[in-house]
Amino acid sequence: EAGVVQSPRYKIIEKKQPVAFWCNPISGHNTLYWYLQNLGQGPELLIRYENEEAVDDSQLPKDRFSAERLKGVDSTLKIQPAELGDSAVYLCASSLRGSFSGGEQFFGPGTRLTVL
Amino acid sequence: DAKTTQPTSMDCAEGRAANLPCNHSTISGNEYVYWYRQIHSQGPQYIIHGLKNNETNEMASLIITEDRKSSTLILPHATLRDTAVYYCIVRVATNAGKSTFGDGTTLTVKP
């Protein structure tokens, strides 16, 4: 079974440039999460999708960050414009919704963003 | 979701049991204890979760105290590949439960 796929794995951009990250969750997983992880810290939730609907985006900085999950499968996270402080690892995770799925989240390898 | 407290770092000798503690004194009745680990340059990996009974799987054992205010993750025979950051999270066992990761415990397994 294929895991969560993310691309690119690494991205280096200059500040004020736009950047986009792509995530393909595990087949059949309804719920998709985007996390941000700063160096030496645990992941922090940015947004959670149930199918196509963003059900928790309270931690997403909406002035520069946007996300979409068209057709309830793949998702894209965008930053425009990027700032120096956005340098971090962006993690995507997915899980299976059910009466009691256990709620385990399966994470991708992440995209390491460096803003110069 | 309840907050957890974990030691910043721990060492363990290869082949010995690694016991990682977690305090979660404000856990609610419907919240489970989850453990994840993150090996360098990889995404977090689910290990185990439980409500109040002890749980065991092929990776680890989870011991939860009777009052549920603390738990211990046990890796019975640690290997060098178990060197990672281990996160203890308490949350409801549905997709609506928000996984609030702290800074975790860095476990270093030494030869």
Side-chain angles (χ1 to χ4, degrees):
Chain A
E1 177 182 288
V4 176
V5 179
Q6 291 189 248
S7 69
R9 289 294 315 276
Y10 304 91
K11 187 73 175 179
I12 301 174
I13 62 172
E14 294 187 346
K15 63 181 181 181
K16 300 185 181 179
Q17 294 300 306
V19 64
F21 315 123
W22 175 80
C23 173
N24 181 242
I26 293 173
S27 178
H29 280 195
N30 317 77
T31 307
L32 184 145
Y33 313 77
W34 282 102
Y35 287 85
L36 176 154
Q37 185 172 27
N38 289 306
L39 186 65
Q41 299 180 19
E44 302 170 33
L45 181 68
L46 289 173
I47 188 168
R48 174 171 66 92
Y49 281 93
E50 291 287 349
N51 299 307
E52 307 88 1
E53 183 181 2
V55 295
D56 183 356
D57 63 356
S58 58
Q59 301 303 312
L60 188 72
K62 299 181 182 63
D63 56 337
R64 297 184 300 107
F65 286 65
S66 64
E68 60 182 12
R69 191 184 184 198
L70 302 177
K71 301 181 180 178
V73 181
D74 295 1
S75 178
T76 303
L77 177 69
K78 298 178 181 178
I79 308 175
Q80 182 170 11
E83 298 179 351
L84 295 177
D86 296 331
S87 294
V89 175
Y90 291 83
L91 293 160
C92 179
S94 69
S95 63
L96 180 65
R97 177 165 57 94
S99 57
F100 185 71
S101 68
E104 302 100 292
Q105 297 179 21
F106 297 84
F107 284 80
T111 296
R112 181 176 297 277
L113 173 67
T114 301
V115 182
L116 303 176
Chain B
D1 291 326
K3 182 177 179 180
T4 62
T5 304
Q6 299 177 252
T8 302
S9 63
M10 294 180 63
D11 291 342
C12 177
E14 186 178 20
R16 304 297 295 270
N19 297 284
L20 293 91
C22 180
N23 287 320
H24 32 80
S25 58
T26 60
I27 190 170
S28 300
N30 65 342
E31 288 182 318
Y32 286 64
V33 181
Y34 286 78
W35 283 84
Y36 286 77
R37 74 178 184 185
Q38 188 172 24
I39 296 171
H40 184 62
S41 296
Q42 297 182 22
Q45 175 192 24
Y46 166 81
I47 301 173
I48 198 168
H49 75 284
L51 181 63
K52 54 184 178 181
N53 297 321
N54 297 337
E55 301 288 344
T56 295
N57 62 21
E58 64 278 4
M59 291 182 67
S61 295
L62 173 60
I63 308 298
I64 303 173
T65 58
E66 190 170 345
D67 63 7
R68 303 208 323 122
K69 293 184 177 182
S70 65
S71 60
T72 301
L73 179 74
I74 301 173
L75 308 178
H77 305 287
T79 70
L80 299 179
R81 289 176 295 180
D82 291 322
T83 293
V85 179
Y86 287 77
Y87 297 100
C88 169
I89 300 160
V90 291
R91 50 166 283 196
V92 294
T94 69
N95 288 354
K98 183 177 293 187
S99 288
T100 301
F101 291 79
D103 293 338
T105 296
T106 299
L107 174 68
T108 303
V109 181
K110 298 184 175 181

